[in-house]
Amino acid sequence: MNKKIINKYTSDNQASNLPDYQQCYQHFKWPSVTTQLNIAYQAIDSHLNTSNENKIALRWLGKQNQCVDFTYRDLAEQTSRFASVLNTLGLESGSRIFSLAGRLPLLYIAALGTLKAGCVFTPLFSAFGPEPIRSRMEIGEANVLVTTMSLYRKKVAKWWQELPHLKAILLIDGAGVLDDGCYALSKLMENANAGLPCVKTSPDDMALLHFTSGTTGKPKGVVHVHQAVVAHKSSAYYALDLHATDIYWCTADPGWVTGTTYGIIAPLCLGATMIVDEAEFEVERWYQILDQQQVNVWYSAPTAIRMLMKAGNEIRTKYDLSHLRFIASVGEPLNPEAVVWSERVLGLPFHDNWWQTETGAIMIANYASMPIKPGAMGLPLPGIEAGIVKRTNKESEQATLEVLSEANQIGELALKQGWPSMFRGYLHQNEKYQHCFTQGWYLSGDLAYRDEQGYYWFVGRADDLIKSSGHLIGPFEVESALMEHEDVIEVGVIGIPDDIAGEVVKAYVTLKSGVIPSEQLQKQLKGFARKKLGAAVAPKEIVFRQNLPKTRSGKIMRRLLKARELGLPQGDISTLESDEQ
Ligand code: ATP
Ligand code: MG
């Protein structure tokens, strides 16, 4: 494995003012929050009557190249109006407000306005079909849906009246004669109270309900409380090096946990200016935004990074990226190749970090003030105790844990229970929730190891581990090795049954544009992988695919590659983005 260390600031970008990792880690204590706490207050109203009040909080870039700015004062007023609309409709604290919309300003206002009203916010990804929308709204007992006219007509109109808890549909662009129970949101907001204060929620009140990505199975409803904001804010400061003076762009859609936590809440808590782009990914557009908006801190994901790599390096030379100071990635393993590429082509290395919907905030990161190791997820954040553990007694009710204290041992990545953004439940699945905890540790379901310097390295999801002739093989290692080949852009690796070895490694490979798949290339890739990984770990079979099956949040669905390979049922595919089979 490539353990080359890259130092953070290779160009003369403005240096970070973050404290040293070790100092921070040792002295960090979570503040004890016992009285009221509201995420929306931290994100918005706390900036009123400060120097941030008239600063741009949100710059919205529309598909037609519109640009609309909202100051912290504007957002305070708009979110109060939204909260007041909920009050007028008779919704009490704790009501569940769902959203289904593209990246429109009112989506952001609705998210924060919901929290201001003491209600629970649940975002749904706008590209979901009617069935995944309905089932999530049923499970989540939605009381209100905020959406657009066209999404309502296409995906919701036919069935929403059958949902017993759903009281109202708020249409962002609603106008004219509307169905019963549907309201034109802007109109309601015009007459609403722009000065409504935040509801005084307690730190343990439910604030967010997020559905997981569905990469390993049926998506779970994950419950978070207002106290999570303590971790949202501090993790963005430490892991993203985000400061009030920054122009920040998180490319994740608010339909997923990253897009809400780090695409709405955390940057506003820190008083930064955040960019929101309504349009979908497009290489030139993205470079243009980084250049024209003078983005300093950029938080993206491996799939997008791989697409930038695929587009070639020449395109990048047309743009001035000198304002970038810190770039980070999350959501999937970030192949070392992508880190090396970004340092060479963008001038800065991507800093990988790790977390889950369940952890509510970044837990492990290539922290800004330390050297990064390409391929490693980094060190635990201040306030987070991570460990590598092995479950023993799995079958019995009293599962026990062995904490693997020596370096380089592969086990399950676990976190000591009790950080502020730890999830407080899987909705309607209490037993499943309880199962995640043993002896004070939260068990993540991901496999990893910790090296001698304390850096955590991702191995694979526990379900994806391949057992071949007595070796335990993590798909990430194999995928990363193949990614180093100049013709390869993306790889998904699975284990397939084999009479002799138990399982053997099979790789699905997407080639760079312009590269023609051939038997010769297949052979060459096998040889390339054998050289890097050894014969026991290298794939025995390599096939080429135009696209790999991915969740709509951009994660490779290895379970689907496997199900298709073995002719097994595909399981829940509600988050699958269409792909060629
Ligand atoms: P589901 O739980 O429904 O199967 P999911 O686990 O993909 O979906 P998320 O909570 O969005 O849903 O994703 C968290 C997972 O993403 C982690 O458990 C891990 O497997 C993967 N992940 C996130 N960041 C990283 C990273 N930096 N490196 C490797 N894997 C990562
Ligand atoms: Mg998961």
Side-chain angles (χ1 to χ4, degrees):
M1 194 165 289
N2 184 354
K3 292 194 182 173
K4 190 180 88 174
I5 294 181
I6 287 189
N7 279 310
K8 189 184 48 146
Y9 296 117
T10 48
S11 57
D12 46 40
N13 278 306
Q14 172 199 337
S16 156
N17 55 5
L18 278 177
D20 166 71
Y21 174 79
Q22 284 307 341
Q23 264 176 9
C24 226
Y25 192 78
Q26 274 152 22
H27 298 303
F28 192 89
K29 294 267 178 301
W30 293 113
S32 64
V33 188
T34 48
T35 52
Q36 68 203 42
L37 185 69
N38 186 300
I39 295 177
Y41 180 82
Q42 296 298 320
I44 305 287
D45 289 10
S46 66
H47 298 291
L48 297 179
N49 305 316
T50 73
S51 56
N52 288 336
E53 177 168 325
N54 296 313
K55 180 175 168 182
I56 299 172
L58 189 166
R59 167 163 290 177
W60 179 76
L61 307 174
K63 280 182 189 163
Q64 267 82 44
N65 294 327
Q66 316 93 298
C67 176
V68 184
D69 288 341
F70 296 83
T71 62
Y72 278 91
R73 156 68 57 197
D74 295 334
L75 281 190
E77 290 178 2
Q78 295 285 335
T79 52
S80 287
R81 285 179 192 274
F82 184 86
S84 135
V85 166
L86 295 182
N87 289 347
T88 314
L89 291 171
L91 291 146
E92 292 168 357
S93 293
S95 297
R96 309 264 170 87
I97 315 301
F98 279 54
S99 69
L100 175 78
R103 290 179 291 277
L104 296 169
L106 265 174
L107 168 65
Y108 294 76
I109 289 161
L112 294 159
T114 295
L115 297 168
K116 206 170 211 184
C119 296
V120 176
F121 179 65
T122 302
L124 296 177
F125 190 50
S126 58
F128 278 154
E131 193 38 51
I133 296 169
R134 180 178 176 147
S135 63
R136 283 163 180 75
M137 286 176 65
E138 266 171 358
I139 298 170
E141 295 166 356
N143 301 119
V144 169
L145 177 68
V146 180
T147 188
T148 61
M149 293 281 272
S150 83
L151 288 170
Y152 169 73
R153 280 198 207 105
K154 272 192 249 161
K155 303 183 180 185
V156 181
K158 281 202 191 119
W159 50 263
W160 78 274
Q161 306 271 12
E162 293 160 29
L163 264 47
H165 302 279
L166 196 54
K167 293 195 181 129
I169 307 270
L170 301 180
L171 294 161
I172 289 175
D173 51 353
V177 183
L178 301 173
D179 291 352
D180 264 1
C182 293
Y183 302 87
L185 179 56
S186 309
K187 201 145 181 216
L188 293 184
M189 282 179 62
E190 263 171 37
N191 304 318
N193 179 359
L196 194 77
C198 262
V199 165
K200 294 178 174 149
T201 43
S202 101
D204 289 323
D205 283 345
M206 184 168 164
L208 301 161
L209 170 66
H210 280 295
F211 287 91
T212 58
S213 295
T215 315
T216 55
K218 196 172 162 52
K220 295 148 278 195
V222 174
V223 174
H224 284 288
V225 296
H226 281 276
Q227 197 184 356
V229 73
V230 176
H232 295 162
K233 186 171 173 177
S234 60
S235 59
Y237 177 77
Y238 289 116
L240 302 179
D241 193 18
L242 188 58
H243 302 269
T245 43
D246 284 322
I247 296 175
Y248 165 78
W249 187 24
C250 168
T251 59
D253 187 272
W256 309 105
V257 73
T258 306
T260 307
T261 308
Y262 296 101
I264 308 181
I265 298 168
L268 296 177
C269 286
L270 289 168
T273 294
M274 62 182 202
I275 304 291
V276 170
D277 181 27
E278 186 196 10
E280 292 314 315
F281 174 86
E282 207 257 303
V283 178
E284 295 249 11
R285 184 176 173 97
W286 274 34
Y287 279 132
Q288 207 169 50
I289 290 174
L290 292 171
D291 176 342
Q292 287 177 359
Q293 299 305 325
Q294 306 190 344
V295 174
N296 310 126
V297 179
W298 182 30
Y299 194 23
S300 199
T303 339
I305 298 166
R306 289 194 290 261
M307 288 197 276
L308 292 177
M309 290 166 75
K310 191 174 177 178
N313 301 343
E314 206 168 297
I315 240 178
R316 177 260 173 270
T317 56
K318 291 198 269 172
Y319 300 94
D320 174 10
L321 305 184
S322 61
H323 288 92
L324 280 179
R325 186 187 80 248
F326 189 80
I327 62 180
S329 162
V330 75
E332 269 212 303
L334 182 67
N335 312 90
E337 191 56 22
V339 181
V340 174
W341 172 86
S342 65
E343 162 125 280
R344 185 163 46 85
V345 176
L346 305 180
L348 289 171
F350 270 105
H351 290 66
D352 190 20
N353 58 55
W354 176 92
W355 61 294
Q356 308 177 299
T357 310
E358 289 87 341
T359 68
I362 301 168
M363 299 283 109
I364 294 180
N366 284 284
Y367 191 80
S369 63
M370 72 197 199
I372 64 173
K373 299 188 188 188
M377 302 188 291
L379 298 170
L381 252 69
I384 300 300
E385 188 177 342
I388 299 291
V389 304
K390 204 165 124 191
R391 298 189 202 213
T392 47
N393 267 345
K394 264 192 223 165
E395 306 313 323
S396 83
E397 295 235 321
Q398 289 286 295
T400 48
L401 285 188
E402 184 192 343
V403 179
L404 307 177
S405 49
E406 271 176 44
N408 301 319
Q409 288 178 286
I410 294 177
E412 190 165 352
L413 177 53
L415 302 163
K416 255 289 158 66
Q417 212 170 322
W419 69 97
S421 63
M422 189 183 88
F423 71 135
R424 304 303 161 94
Y426 283 131
L427 202 65
H428 310 311
Q429 290 182 289
N430 190 38
E431 209 174 311
K432 196 176 184 90
Y433 179 70
Q434 298 301 341
H435 243 91
C436 298
F437 298 90
T438 304
Q439 292 167 225
W441 289 92
Y442 162 67
L443 301 160
S444 72
D446 283 350
L447 298 175
Y449 66 91
R450 187 183 53 241
D451 70 14
E452 290 83 357
Q453 279 95 35
Y455 284 64
Y456 283 80
W457 296 75
F458 185 76
V459 171
R461 308 228 183 197
D463 298 349
D464 294 336
L465 200 69
I466 302 162
K467 295 176 193 93
S468 184
S469 304
H471 298 278
L472 287 181
I473 302 169
F476 178 49
E477 187 183 3
V478 182
E479 290 163 7
S480 293
L482 282 167
M483 286 272 303
E484 285 182 40
H485 190 280
E486 56 179 5
D487 292 338
V488 173
I489 200 67
E490 198 155 59
V491 189
V493 159
I494 59 165
I496 53 170
D498 181 83
D499 285 345
I500 298 161
E503 277 186 308
V504 291
V505 177
K506 175 164 181 173
Y508 294 76
V509 171
T510 303
L511 297 170
K512 278 191 185 145
S513 21
V515 179
I516 313 216
S518 67
E519 238 174 76
Q520 200 194 345
L521 184 55
Q522 239 166 4
K523 271 195 203 138
Q524 204 190 85
L525 285 176
K526 276 191 200 166
F528 182 83
R530 255 200 312 275
K531 236 193 216 155
K532 295 214 158 276
L533 299 162
V537 177
K540 297 280 176 294
E541 206 182 320
I542 292 185
V543 289
F544 297 120
R545 289 284 185 272
Q546 203 66 11
N547 292 299
L548 299 179
K550 290 201 195 101
T551 63
R552 292 186 181 278
S553 52
K555 296 167 195 264
I556 297 172
M557 292 172 95
R558 294 174 189 81
R559 73 171 159 101
L560 226 59
L561 288 172
K562 192 153 183 169
R564 289 172 181 175
E565 176 72 38
L566 304 180
L568 297 171
Q570 300 201 99
D572 186 292
I573 49 165
S574 61
T575 62
L576 172 69
E577 196 174 47
S578 64
D579 67 318
E580 54 127 46
Q581 291 206 16

